[in-house]
Amino acid sequence: MNVLVVGAGAMGRWFAEAMNCDLAFTDANPAVAEHAAEELGGNAVALDTTETFDAVCIAVPLPAVEGAIEEHASKAERAVLDLTGAMAAPVSAMAAHAPDKERVSLHPLFSPENAPGNVAVVADEPGTVTDDLLSALESRGNTLVETTPDEHDEAMETVQAGAHTAILAFALSANSVPEGLRTPIYDGLADLTAQVTGGDSRVYADIQAAFDGSDGVATAATELAAADPKEFERLYQEARATQNATLNQGEHEPEDER
């Protein structure tokens, strides 16, 4: 099998590393594609190549995914995949531009340096090629979690957009604190801040643009800041009830039967 990876950045290379097949890379920056080919084996090809491949994996930034699928889906003979982070738009674009091909959308729920981990999967039109590629990811210790485009994108409003907003807001509002005066909760938030701010700001900006969720965090923070003691107690209990409901839901969800 041969696979073209469109977008030879960190996530494209993460996908390619798991594949035991002939690889080709293309990227808006040819030097990036050439470096990936040298590092992982395979060839670098031009964005406008007329070559075709058994499978094409789209690993571009979120704002570029629909255009990349439109441009490169025709280069796939059997399967098209994406791992860009959203799912509704890529799944729709793949169905439009590769209606007769196998189609799977992937979202690794971690950065490459934290691999392996959970990988969200929408198998819109699975088949033998995508089954083999998913098996290769599983063989690297990843857990495949089947979902739907709507379920995934709604979850990312909280898991990514909301969480990132809360962490960055803490970082922007925090004062310097002497070592001996820190609490475990503060240290936990500081660790999360270091993790988030140590990444690629463009990726986080793309996530904020793609998913709602930040407004809810801002509204809640405003309500807490303005609350008198009685209202604060009500909001505190509401937060506790919401957290308990979330934990209980997770404990009783059925196991993935895939």
XYZ file of all heavy atoms in Angstrom, residues 153-206:
389
model
N -17.738 17.143 17.692
C -17.561 18.585 17.647
C -18.200 19.275 18.847
O -17.676 20.275 19.357
C -18.120 19.145 16.341
C -17.244 18.781 15.141
O -16.227 18.080 15.330
O -17.593 19.179 14.014
N -19.324 18.731 19.325
C -19.933 19.295 20.530
C -19.023 19.082 21.740
O -18.868 19.980 22.578
C -21.302 18.658 20.781
C -22.018 19.227 21.990
C -23.398 18.623 22.213
O -23.870 17.857 21.339
O -24.003 18.913 23.262
N -18.408 17.897 21.836
C -17.501 17.625 22.949
C -16.301 18.561 22.929
O -15.832 19.016 23.980
C -17.041 16.175 22.913
N -15.799 18.878 21.732
C -14.615 19.734 21.638
C -14.892 21.160 22.105
O -13.974 21.887 22.457
C -14.081 19.746 20.209
C -13.476 18.420 19.762
S -12.233 17.744 20.905
C -13.153 16.378 21.657
N -16.166 21.571 22.123
C -16.486 22.888 22.661
C -16.067 22.990 24.124
O -15.619 24.051 24.585
C -17.980 23.163 22.524
C -18.448 23.311 21.080
C -19.933 23.578 20.985
O -20.593 23.709 22.046
O -20.455 23.646 19.852
N -16.210 21.879 24.853
C -15.806 21.846 26.257
C -14.371 21.375 26.418
O -13.566 22.004 27.110
C -16.745 20.924 27.059
O -18.055 21.477 27.062
C -16.260 20.762 28.493
N -14.056 20.249 25.767
C -12.761 19.595 25.967
C -11.604 20.467 25.491
O -10.535 20.484 26.108
C -12.745 18.238 25.233
C -11.359 17.621 25.226
C -13.744 17.286 25.881
N -11.821 21.189 24.404
C -10.739 22.020 23.883
C -11.010 23.508 24.070
O -10.320 24.170 24.837
C -10.510 21.700 22.401
C -9.879 20.324 22.196
C -9.336 20.151 20.791
O -9.988 20.488 19.818
N -8.149 19.604 20.688
N -12.033 24.060 23.396
C -12.233 25.511 23.432
C -12.457 26.017 24.850
O -11.827 26.997 25.284
C -13.400 25.897 22.531
N -13.348 25.387 25.599
C -13.630 25.834 26.958
C -12.449 25.649 27.889
O -12.087 26.555 28.649
N -11.829 24.469 27.824
C -10.695 24.190 28.714
C -9.529 25.124 28.429
O -8.907 25.665 29.361
C -10.268 22.733 28.547
N -9.224 25.338 27.163
C -8.101 26.220 26.827
C -8.372 27.653 27.277
O -7.467 28.340 27.779
C -7.837 26.195 25.318
C -7.483 24.841 24.793
N -7.519 24.531 23.457
C -7.093 23.706 25.425
C -7.168 23.274 23.280
N -6.911 22.751 24.467
N -9.623 28.110 27.101
C -9.966 29.463 27.525
C -9.779 29.629 29.024
O -9.223 30.631 29.488
C -11.421 29.785 27.143
O -11.544 29.745 25.712
C -11.836 31.155 27.638
N -10.245 28.657 29.790
C -10.121 28.746 31.249
C -8.658 28.781 31.673
O -8.264 29.576 32.546
C -10.839 27.562 31.899
N -7.835 27.953 31.054
C -6.421 27.889 31.438
C -5.693 29.174 31.047
O -4.928 29.736 31.835
C -5.763 26.661 30.782
C -6.332 25.376 31.405
C -4.242 26.700 30.945
C -6.012 24.129 30.620
N -5.933 29.657 29.826
C -5.256 30.876 29.382
C -5.738 32.099 30.157
O -4.949 33.017 30.435
C -5.453 31.066 27.883
C -4.723 30.046 27.000
C -5.166 30.170 25.552
C -3.212 30.208 27.120
N -7.022 32.133 30.511
C -7.529 33.244 31.322
C -6.853 33.259 32.685
O -6.504 34.335 33.206
C -9.047 33.138 31.463
N -6.666 32.090 33.267
C -5.932 32.017 34.538
C -4.525 32.569 34.365
O -4.040 33.369 35.174
C -5.878 30.571 35.031
C -4.874 30.336 36.125
C -5.136 30.736 37.425
C -3.650 29.744 35.845
C -4.198 30.540 38.437
C -2.707 29.541 36.842
C -2.983 29.944 38.142
N -3.848 32.161 33.282
C -2.476 32.613 33.048
C -2.415 34.126 32.870
O -1.506 34.791 33.395
C -1.906 31.922 31.818
N -3.377 34.681 32.144
C -3.372 36.121 31.871
C -3.687 36.957 33.114
O -3.265 38.113 33.216
C -4.382 36.437 30.767
C -4.001 35.942 29.363
C -5.202 36.041 28.431
C -2.822 36.731 28.808
N -4.416 36.373 34.054
C -4.838 37.128 35.235
C -3.985 36.840 36.467
O -4.125 37.526 37.490
C -6.305 36.812 35.563
O -6.461 35.436 35.882
N -3.095 35.858 36.393
C -2.346 35.434 37.580
C -1.219 36.412 37.908
O -0.562 36.957 37.013
C -1.777 34.037 37.366
N -0.996 36.618 39.197
C 0.155 37.373 39.682
C 1.276 36.406 40.053
O 1.043 35.207 40.266
C -0.225 38.205 40.915
C -1.253 39.261 40.576
O -1.192 39.901 39.533
N -2.219 39.443 41.480
N 2.475 36.916 40.139
C 3.599 36.098 40.586
C 3.393 35.712 42.051
O 3.006 36.551 42.878
C 4.902 36.875 40.423
O 5.987 36.118 40.896
N 3.640 34.446 42.371
C 3.407 33.935 43.724
C 4.699 33.300 44.243
O 5.289 32.452 43.561
C 2.274 32.887 43.735
C 2.086 32.310 45.136
C 0.983 33.485 43.218
N 5.170 33.687 45.437
C 6.369 33.058 46.001
C 6.178 31.554 46.170
O 5.070 31.084 46.458
C 6.522 33.755 47.358
C 5.794 35.049 47.202
C 4.649 34.763 46.284
N 7.269 30.819 46.041
C 7.216 29.355 46.078
C 6.500 28.833 47.318
O 5.673 27.949 47.253
C 8.639 28.797 46.015
C 8.702 27.280 45.999
C 8.187 26.675 44.702
O 8.319 27.339 43.654
O 7.648 25.567 44.742
N 6.789 29.374 48.458
C 6.238 28.837 49.695
C 4.773 29.138 49.922
O 4.166 28.596 50.852
N 4.177 29.985 49.095
C 2.780 30.372 49.281
C 1.846 29.734 48.263
O 0.680 30.113 48.169
C 2.653 31.902 49.217
C 3.444 32.675 50.272
C 3.220 34.176 50.115
C 3.050 32.220 51.689
N 2.325 28.797 47.522
C 1.499 28.153 46.501
C 0.703 26.998 47.097
O 1.114 26.384 48.081
C 2.378 27.635 45.359
C 3.137 28.740 44.650
C 4.033 28.200 43.549
N 4.749 29.277 42.875
C 5.594 29.093 41.876
N 5.855 27.866 41.439
N 6.196 30.133 41.316
N -0.443 26.715 46.498
C -1.286 25.598 46.918
C -1.261 24.512 45.848
O -0.873 24.758 44.698
C -2.739 26.048 47.107
O -3.272 26.424 45.825
C -2.835 27.237 48.060
N -1.702 23.290 46.173
C -1.753 22.229 45.154
C -2.638 22.597 43.963
O -2.320 22.244 42.823
C -2.317 21.037 45.929
C -1.904 21.275 47.343
C -1.983 22.758 47.525
N -3.749 23.296 44.220
C -4.621 23.688 43.105
C -3.903 24.684 42.208
O -3.934 24.571 40.973
C -5.940 24.266 43.637
C -6.774 23.154 44.277
C -6.733 24.941 42.516
C -8.049 23.626 44.929
N -3.230 25.667 42.806
C -2.477 26.632 42.010
C -1.402 25.919 41.191
O -1.233 26.187 39.994
C -1.829 27.672 42.917
C -0.880 28.588 42.179
C -1.327 29.774 41.610
C 0.465 28.248 42.035
C -0.467 30.600 40.908
C 1.336 29.070 41.342
C 0.861 30.238 40.775
O 1.724 31.048 40.080
N -0.675 25.000 41.827
C 0.390 24.296 41.114
C -0.176 23.479 39.948
O 0.445 23.399 38.882
C 1.144 23.373 42.072
C 2.118 24.133 42.964
O 2.504 25.256 42.604
O 2.491 23.590 44.023
N -1.358 22.886 40.164
C -1.981 22.132 39.073
C -2.322 23.022 37.897
O -2.080 22.658 36.731
N -2.888 24.195 38.190
C -3.211 25.138 37.118
C -1.944 25.670 36.448
O -1.914 25.874 35.225
C -4.036 26.291 37.675
C -5.512 25.982 37.927
C -6.166 27.106 38.719
C -6.257 25.770 36.617
N -0.905 25.892 37.230
C 0.357 26.363 36.660
C 0.939 25.320 35.711
O 1.475 25.654 34.647
C 1.342 26.697 37.768
N 0.834 24.043 36.090
C 1.320 22.971 35.210
C 0.530 22.933 33.909
O 1.098 22.761 32.817
C 1.225 21.620 35.919
C 2.245 21.465 37.037
O 3.226 22.243 37.064
O 2.055 20.576 37.884
N -0.793 23.077 34.004
C -1.619 23.096 32.800
C -1.288 24.300 31.925
O -1.244 24.206 30.696
C -3.095 23.114 33.185
C -3.646 21.830 33.800
C -5.063 22.061 34.321
C -3.644 20.693 32.785
N -1.048 25.448 32.564
C -0.680 26.643 31.812
C 0.617 26.422 31.051
O 0.736 26.794 29.872
C -0.532 27.842 32.761
O -1.796 28.104 33.380
C -0.078 29.076 32.018
N 1.598 25.807 31.693
C 2.871 25.541 31.030
C 2.680 24.614 29.842
O 3.301 24.793 28.786
C 3.858 24.935 32.027
N 1.809 23.631 30.001
C 1.562 22.695 28.909
C 0.898 23.389 27.721
O 1.292 23.183 26.566
C 0.688 21.538 29.402
C 0.438 20.466 28.348
C -0.313 19.280 28.907
O -0.387 19.091 30.124
N -0.876 18.466 28.036
N -0.103 24.217 27.999
C -0.829 24.879 26.915
C 0.046 25.929 26.239
O 0.121 26.002 25.003
C -2.130 25.516 27.443
C -2.764 26.416 26.390
C -3.115 24.417 27.855
N 0.719 26.752 27.022
C 1.510 27.826 26.429
C 2.820 27.337 25.823
O 3.506 28.091 25.131
C 1.817 28.924 27.463
O 2.492 28.344 28.589
C 0.533 29.590 27.925
N 3.154 26.080 26.043
C 4.341 25.508 25.417
C 4.071 24.959 24.028
O 4.988 24.435 23.382
N 2.825 25.069 23.563
C 2.463 24.534 22.252
C 2.538 25.592 21.160
O 3.220 26.608 21.286
N 1.806 25.341 20.088
C 1.778 26.217 18.919
C 0.557 27.134 19.043
O -0.584 26.660 19.010
C 1.694 25.362 17.652
C 1.764 26.173 16.374
O 1.517 27.391 16.417
O 2.034 25.578 15.316
N 0.783 28.424 19.165
C -0.329 29.352 19.365
C -1.311 29.313 18.197
O -2.517 29.505 18.393
C 0.195 30.775 19.554
O 0.932 31.204 18.422
N -0.824 29.065 16.990
C -1.710 29.017 15.834
C -2.712 27.880 15.952
O -3.889 28.025 15.617
C -0.899 28.835 14.547
C -1.712 28.959 13.263
C -1.185 28.026 12.185
N -1.430 26.643 12.523
C -0.624 25.639 12.166
N 0.483 25.873 11.513
N -0.924 24.396 12.502
N -2.258 26.742 16.472
C -3.151 25.598 16.644
C -4.271 25.946 17.617
O -5.450 25.659 17.382
C -2.367 24.367 17.140
C -3.323 23.235 17.523
C -1.386 23.898 16.067
N -3.913 26.600 18.729
C -4.921 26.968 19.719
C -5.873 28.020 19.166
O -7.079 27.996 19.447
C -4.248 27.451 21.003
C -3.644 26.318 21.799
C -2.309 25.958 21.637
C -4.411 25.592 22.698
C -1.758 24.905 22.356
C -3.875 24.545 23.434
C -2.542 24.201 23.249
O -2.010 23.157 23.962
N -5.359 28.935 18.372
C -6.224 29.945 17.751
C -7.202 29.293 16.772
O -8.381 29.673 16.706
C -5.379 30.992 17.033
N -6.724 28.300 16.021
C -7.594 27.593 15.086
C -8.713 26.862 15.826
O -9.866 26.831 15.372
C -6.787 26.589 14.255
C -5.871 27.264 13.247
O -6.038 28.470 12.989
O -4.985 26.558 12.710
